[in-house]
Amino acid sequence: MAVFRDASFSADGSVLAVADGDRGTVLLGGRDARFLDNPYAPLPQGVATTAVAFSPDGTWFAQGGAASGEEADLTLAFADPAVGRQPLRISFEDEAAGRRVVPRGMEFSGDGEQLFVVTSDEAGSRFWLHTIRTRQALAPSRFADVTHSPAVAAGPFRVSGRLEPEGPALAGAS
């Protein structure tokens, strides 16, 4: 049985992504609704898919979910699976910023430069809006001013700092 949470067409209309709370992200043919192989990295094990979004410019694909603990709640990847970069995984683990992506809680700006994400607390009684700049999110980058927690074998490891783009400055206003 499917637990429908969200749906989004690719920019050219050839793919319909469906967020199914039980089966994860399911891809269907946009013209005939046949099941397609899913080339996108799934959300981590145990994360219920709540939202999907293709950018209108055809560049990006995002999957949002409801995770428990420190698992990623959001993956942002290139819509073209042939691009060989791993998706960016974002975890909303701070209670002050919401802990999960709400159903139908993602939308790209018209130019695909920003991804708007609505998160909620676990009870679904408080909501937050996050803006992710897509070009900067997946640009080659490095951490600066890094601090980290002690490393323990097979345990979680937390890194914090400032993320700085590497290489030439990004084109256009940021």
Side-chain angles (χ1 to χ4, degrees):
M1 177 173 191
V3 178
F4 176 81
R5 302 285 170 82
D6 195 10
S8 180
F9 275 101
S10 62
D12 65 2
S14 65
V15 176
L16 174 63
V18 176
D20 181 319
D22 286 338
R23 295 187 293 173
T25 301
V26 177
L27 300 181
L28 303 171
R31 291 172 180 75
D32 57 9
R34 75 186 186 308
F35 285 95
L36 302 174
D37 290 332
N38 188 343
Y40 301 109
L43 289 169
Q45 183 72 25
V47 178
T49 304
T50 59
V52 290
F54 281 103
S55 65
D57 66 351
T59 304
W60 309 106
F61 177 66
Q63 300 173 83
S68 58
E70 296 180 2
E71 294 294 338
D73 299 288
L74 173 70
T75 62
L76 177 62
F78 287 99
D80 181 357
V83 175
R85 293 211 37 206
Q86 291 294 318
L88 175 68
R89 294 187 183 274
I90 298 171
S91 185
F92 298 106
E93 57 190 55
D94 182 3
E95 185 63 38
R99 292 193 180 263
R100 55 191 58 213
V101 178
V102 300
R104 297 189 315 244
M106 295 190 311
E107 189 69 39
F108 282 93
S109 61
D111 60 6
E113 292 289 321
Q114 297 178 64
L115 173 62
F116 302 102
V117 180
V118 177
T119 60
S120 74
D121 59 5
E122 290 189 40
S125 60
R126 296 173 50 202
F127 298 90
W128 293 265
L129 175 64
H130 305 271
T131 303
I132 299 168
R133 294 178 185 244
T134 53
R135 189 183 317 209
Q136 291 175 346
L138 290 175
S141 56
R142 67 170 182 255
F143 279 108
D145 303 324
V146 175
T147 61
H148 57 83
S149 65
V152 177
F157 182 73
R158 181 175 294 242
V159 176
S160 63
R162 191 175 71 252
L163 192 62
E164 295 180 339
E166 292 180 349
L170 299 172
S174 58

